[in-house]
Amino acid sequence: MAAAALRPAILRRIRLSPTPSLALAAAGAGASSHPHALARWLARPMSSHDAHLTREEVVDRVLDVLKSHPKVDPSKVTPEAHFEKDLGLDSLDTVEVVMAIEEEFKLEIPDMEADKIDSLPLAIEYVANHPMAG
Amino acid sequence: MAAAAAAAPTRTEVLALFRSLLRTAKQFSDYNIREYTRRRAADAFRENRALADAPAAAAAFSEGKKQLEVAKRQALVYSLYAPKAKSVMELKVQ
């Protein structure tokens, strides 16, 4: 029962998109009779094309990451904002924000690239063009 | 040590060290340790951000590098004793 109560929280955290979640349910249900069903489902999202993020989704999620940062005034966050000029962040905050964006999209941005990201347009551009962003 | 400590680290080096510390912090599976490491790094960098003279900045930088090594070792040790349950802080409120 405890597991059932936790289910919505877990599902929300792992952000399954509708199709794979159905596949997971099917795989889970068939797991006893079909030991490889889950493995097959796990292998699928690795081929990237169908799971690609739309630009609107990237913009929304990047904005959410910025708004939830403790030092950012959520009302100032726009897709055009500059971290230091518009949001009043310093270089250390910028490192933290870029790291939070990495975490949100399950990316690892190399230092050379991360140093260049100093505004929302650049962050959105980077994530939207990244093939592994999820 | 004294000879190496003379030159102040560049801005890029400092930010790279900060990023490495945050990346190492993320590896802790225990919520409390993970957040502490992140907070500790952020606080220390803020505290030392205004260091004016080069030797003091260099000393703080090499201390930071030592702490990074400590954090890396501890992340490895803690990974052997990962908590079996998540912290309540990690669950999203409905």
Side-chain angles (χ1 to χ4, degrees):
Chain A
M1 277 307 101
L6 279 176
R7 194 167 172 273
I10 294 167
L11 287 181
R12 198 167 322 155
R13 283 188 69 80
I14 59 181
R15 284 180 200 288
L16 290 175
S17 62
T19 344
S21 127
L22 283 177
L24 177 63
S32 50
S33 60
H34 222 307
H36 298 305
L38 187 60
R40 229 183 291 138
W41 171 76
L42 284 172
R44 249 189 35 171
M46 301 299 173
S47 65
S48 61
H49 274 309
D50 51 342
H52 206 68
L53 296 168
T54 65
R55 197 176 173 85
E56 295 80 63
E57 197 185 338
V58 171
V59 173
D60 282 351
R61 281 166 62 189
V62 171
L63 290 184
D64 283 345
V65 169
L66 262 292
K67 284 177 191 168
S68 59
H69 191 270
K71 290 204 189 133
V72 173
D73 175 0
S75 64
K76 288 190 189 156
V77 177
T78 67
E80 306 303 320
H82 188 278
F83 294 155
E84 299 188 17
K85 287 179 208 142
D86 301 318
L87 302 177
L89 299 177
D90 61 24
S91 56
L92 296 175
D93 295 324
T94 302
V95 170
E96 288 188 68
V97 163
V98 173
M99 191 82 67
I101 293 172
E102 284 185 13
E103 212 164 327
E104 168 71 24
F105 292 95
K106 315 264 185 300
L107 296 175
E108 185 146 324
I109 308 179
D111 281 12
M112 291 285 282
E113 308 290 330
D115 281 337
K116 289 183 206 141
I117 300 177
D118 59 357
S119 65
L120 274 145
L122 284 177
I124 291 165
E125 202 55 43
Y126 187 91
V127 175
N129 289 329
H130 198 293
M132 299 298 283
Chain B
M1 191 68 210
T10 65
R11 179 192 159 89
T12 320
E13 285 173 332
V14 173
L15 291 181
L17 177 61
F18 184 45
R19 197 174 282 118
S20 307
L21 276 160
L22 293 182
R23 281 200 207 286
T24 309
K26 278 204 304 194
Q27 294 170 9
F28 286 99
S29 44
D30 184 311
Y31 170 86
N32 287 304
I33 313 292
R34 187 167 66 238
E35 287 299 304
Y36 168 73
T37 313
R38 196 192 59 67
R39 212 163 50 229
R40 175 75 179 85
D43 289 350
F45 275 79
R46 293 238 148 64
E47 197 179 299
N48 289 329
R49 64 178 309 159
L51 284 181
D53 58 322
F61 185 66
S62 71
E63 177 62 23
K65 282 203 285 195
K66 264 191 238 160
Q67 292 299 323
L68 174 61
E69 293 309 313
V70 172
K72 281 183 178 168
R73 285 198 296 275
Q74 290 302 312
L76 183 61
V77 173
Y78 271 87
S79 75
L80 303 175
Y81 303 97
K84 289 185 183 63
K86 284 198 166 207
S87 161
V88 67
M89 295 296 290
E90 293 172 273
L91 301 175
K92 288 225 169 90
V93 183
Q94 303 279 329

